[in-house]
Amino acid sequence: MSSEDITVVHLMRHGEVHNPDGVLYGRRPGYHLSDLGRKMADRVAEHLTGRDITHVVASPLERAQETATPIAGAHGLELATDERLIEAGNVFEGKTFGVGDGALKKPGNWKYLTNPFRPSWGEPYLEQVVRMMAALGAARDAARGHEAVAVSHQLPIWIVRSFAERRRLWHDPRKRQCTLASLTSFTFHGDKIVSVGYSEPARDLVPSHLLAGAKPVKGKAKAFGA
């Protein structure tokens, strides 16, 4: 296996977002990284210094673009944009979605919770797989024999990882292994995914209630799928 046959695409989740109202912001514009989120982005850029990064691409949403910018800059690259890396659509966008309060307490919203397998409240999991696999393929092709970074969002990253690792797509959102500013790294031999890795270069900067598997804390929304 020659090095020219090996390509790595790091799917990165964006850093922390300034969201004082605790809403599920989804695809809504106007949500930018917090000061802490910018530190997370800088930390990952530093972590990737010296890596053979030849392509950096991001979701069109501001938080993803801002996360990718220092990585692209550190490698002297122009930041590309891929619409397929965008956050999953969700009918609860703009609403609070915390523990014991918010949208889930309103009976009018219960109709959206009838099918967790599709899911009934947002973009179907299979549609996320299709677009994310296409985005992965495009990033792989742009960085053949090298490495790429593609900044996206928690749910699409977790869904495409689950697909690649042959797990069911429906899941408990609290158990996603996709912390803020984490890297889910897909190694390709030619066009085939041969391994998936996971790392958290900015873990020490992530608030404890936002880490994977953390118990929900009333008043501190995790903004699932962000």
Side-chain angles (χ1 to χ4, degrees):
M1 186 184 300
S2 72
S3 60
E4 294 181 355
D5 296 329
I6 301 300
T7 308
V8 180
V9 179
H10 304 281
L11 269 185
M12 179 182 177
R13 185 183 172 194
H14 61 78
E16 184 190 61
V17 174
H18 179 65
N19 182 21
D21 296 326
V23 303
L24 184 73
Y25 33 79
R27 294 179 173 178
R28 291 190 165 205
Y31 285 88
H32 298 267
L33 293 183
S34 64
D35 289 341
L36 180 59
R38 294 181 184 278
K39 290 180 181 178
M40 292 176 182
D42 290 340
R43 170 70 64 79
V44 177
E46 180 182 0
H47 172 78
L48 293 172
T49 299
R51 298 296 293 262
D52 188 21
I53 307 293
T54 62
H55 181 64
V56 180
V57 62
S59 154
L61 295 174
E62 293 99 331
R63 57 193 184 271
Q65 295 276 315
E66 292 164 359
T67 298
T69 295
I71 299 171
H75 291 86
L77 299 170
E78 183 176 346
L79 175 60
T81 300
D82 191 332
E83 295 278 350
R84 293 170 296 194
L85 293 170
I86 199 167
E87 173 64 291
N90 193 306
V91 298
F92 293 110
E93 281 185 19
K95 298 179 174 64
T96 58
F97 202 64
V99 178
D101 59 6
L104 293 185
K105 290 190 68 176
K106 299 178 181 178
N109 289 327
W110 295 349
K111 61 186 177 184
Y112 298 119
L113 305 176
T114 57
N115 185 355
F117 306 106
R118 186 177 186 266
S120 52
W121 55 83
E123 181 184 10
Y125 292 140
L126 287 177
E127 290 184 10
Q128 293 180 55
V129 168
V130 170
R131 65 175 172 86
M132 289 297 289
M133 286 297 293
L136 271 176
R140 175 203 63 213
D141 291 344
R144 285 278 183 184
H146 306 278
E147 299 182 38
V149 176
V151 181
S152 186
H153 307 267
Q154 186 191 59
L155 180 54
I157 294 172
W158 181 248
I159 289 300
V160 76
R161 177 182 173 182
S162 296
F163 175 79
E165 294 181 334
R166 299 183 179 181
R167 288 195 304 274
R168 69 190 186 197
L169 301 183
W170 60 275
H171 60 282
D172 182 343
R174 297 168 297 181
K175 296 181 179 179
R176 295 174 191 157
Q177 189 183 43
C178 191
T179 296
L180 290 166
S182 61
L183 298 172
T184 301
S185 303
F186 295 77
T187 299
F188 290 84
H189 178 207
D191 291 347
K192 181 180 180 181
I193 296 172
V194 293
S195 67
V196 181
Y198 177 78
S199 60
E200 298 177 353
R203 182 180 175 88
D204 61 303
L205 298 177
V206 180
S208 59
H209 71 282
L210 295 177
L211 292 169
K215 293 182 179 180
V217 178
K218 186 175 177 62
K220 292 186 177 182
K222 293 191 71 168
F224 295 140

